[in-house]
Amino acid sequence: MRDVLFLPLYQDEELVIAADGSAAIGLKEADIVHVPYETVAYFAARVALMEVMCVGAAPLAVVLQNFVHNEVWEALCTGIRTALGELHLDLPIVGSTESNFPTLQSAVGMTVIGMVHKAQKRIGTTPSDAKFAVIGEPLVGDEVMERRDRVLPLSLFRQLLHRNDIYELVPVGSKGIFYELQGLLDDNSLQSSQCSCALPLHASSGPATSLIISFDPNGEEEIKQMARDYFFPIEITS
């Protein structure tokens, strides 16, 4: 199953909740990856936003948990708003800051709350004749900044999200392409004995730097043209 929680809301609608966490990334001396807090929040927000949007839900609000210190709140909000702007969204941001005790390393939690009509949920909608591909490349830590041109752009993600010939979209996280692909296949009662891709199947994709899609074979050429060199086919043997 996806890393999202569905809660009944109305007869035909559900709340959708997704979260992401970031630790040891920031500007504290003990941090492992040193980047501005705008960047920390941008990538944490994109993960939770993508998770919610990939299942067909409309994001409603962002909840920020700041374990750094009070002074970085606005920088974190700026990073969130950057991600929202790239997705053409304008959402309220609420949250809390740990202001009682200092921490040696930076930490941020991000939760996105959305809503979906049950009939529009994009889970278990992949037919047996679908094809699969990865868009973007799996990157983590310093790689994300050093090879940012290989990170799936949110502008491209938004375009893919609205294509009728794409059945499902699954953000790839720290467990890698193979793990997320197996979850996608299981959700659709599909079997595979072997799969291959030009990308490393077990490498961490950190803050959802890549995405798996299942799609109608008839739309492959148009999807390739849209994704350009971010497109990496997955070959699956049943």
Side-chain angles (χ1 to χ4, degrees):
M1 284 296 293
R2 306 288 181 82
D3 294 329
V4 291
L5 176 65
F6 295 94
L7 296 174
L9 183 60
Y10 303 115
Q11 182 176 355
D12 299 321
E13 295 176 320
E14 295 178 331
L15 281 179
V16 180
I17 302 172
D20 188 57
S22 171
I25 304 173
L27 296 176
K28 294 199 172 192
E29 185 176 351
D31 286 338
I32 296 174
V33 178
H34 290 88
V35 294
Y37 289 107
E38 291 88 348
T39 302
V40 175
Y42 170 84
F43 280 101
R46 84 179 249 138
V47 175
L49 286 164
M50 287 172 66
E51 290 282 4
V52 166
M53 298 175 76
C54 279
V55 297
L60 300 175
V62 179
V63 183
L64 167 63
Q65 300 294 339
N66 169 23
F67 301 98
V68 185
H69 48 66
N70 283 319
E71 290 78 6
V72 306
W73 178 265
E74 285 305 319
L76 293 171
C77 287
T78 296
I80 296 171
R81 293 189 188 102
T82 299
L84 291 172
E86 292 179 7
L87 292 168
H88 296 188
L89 297 172
D90 182 14
L91 304 181
I93 302 170
V94 68
S96 178
T97 296
E98 173 55 76
S99 56
N100 293 307
F101 304 102
T103 59
L104 298 179
Q105 290 181 308
S106 302
V108 169
M110 199 77 61
T111 301
V112 172
I113 300 171
M115 185 171 68
V116 66
H117 292 275
K118 292 180 181 179
Q120 297 175 347
K121 287 173 68 172
R122 296 179 81 167
I123 291 182
T125 59
T126 299
S128 59
D129 63 345
K131 299 189 74 171
F132 301 84
V134 180
I135 313 295
E137 297 186 24
L139 304 168
V140 68
D142 288 322
E143 293 177 332
V144 177
M145 302 310 299
E146 293 168 357
R147 302 180 60 198
R148 193 159 180 172
D149 62 319
R150 303 309 304 152
V151 174
L152 166 68
L154 288 182
S155 57
L156 174 57
F157 165 70
R158 185 171 172 273
Q159 291 178 322
L160 296 169
L161 200 64
H162 291 92
R163 289 193 66 94
N164 292 328
D165 49 10
I166 293 180
Y167 302 119
E168 294 184 70
L169 307 92
V170 181
V172 182
S174 59
K175 294 179 181 177
I177 295 168
F178 183 81
Y179 175 86
E180 302 293 358
L181 177 62
Q182 292 305 307
L184 174 57
L185 294 174
D186 289 344
D187 285 344
N188 291 278
S189 300
L190 299 175
Q191 302 293 324
S192 70
S193 60
Q194 188 174 356
C195 64
S196 61
C197 181
L199 298 172
L201 293 175
H202 299 282
S204 172
S205 191
T209 60
S210 63
L211 176 83
I212 296 175
I213 61 170
S214 61
F215 59 92
D216 184 337
N218 293 321
E220 183 169 7
E221 289 308 313
E222 286 191 15
I223 295 170
K224 281 183 177 179
Q225 290 176 15
M226 176 180 287
R228 304 181 306 280
D229 61 345
Y230 290 107
F231 185 97
F232 296 88
I234 301 175
E235 300 298 330
I236 295 178
T237 303
S238 301

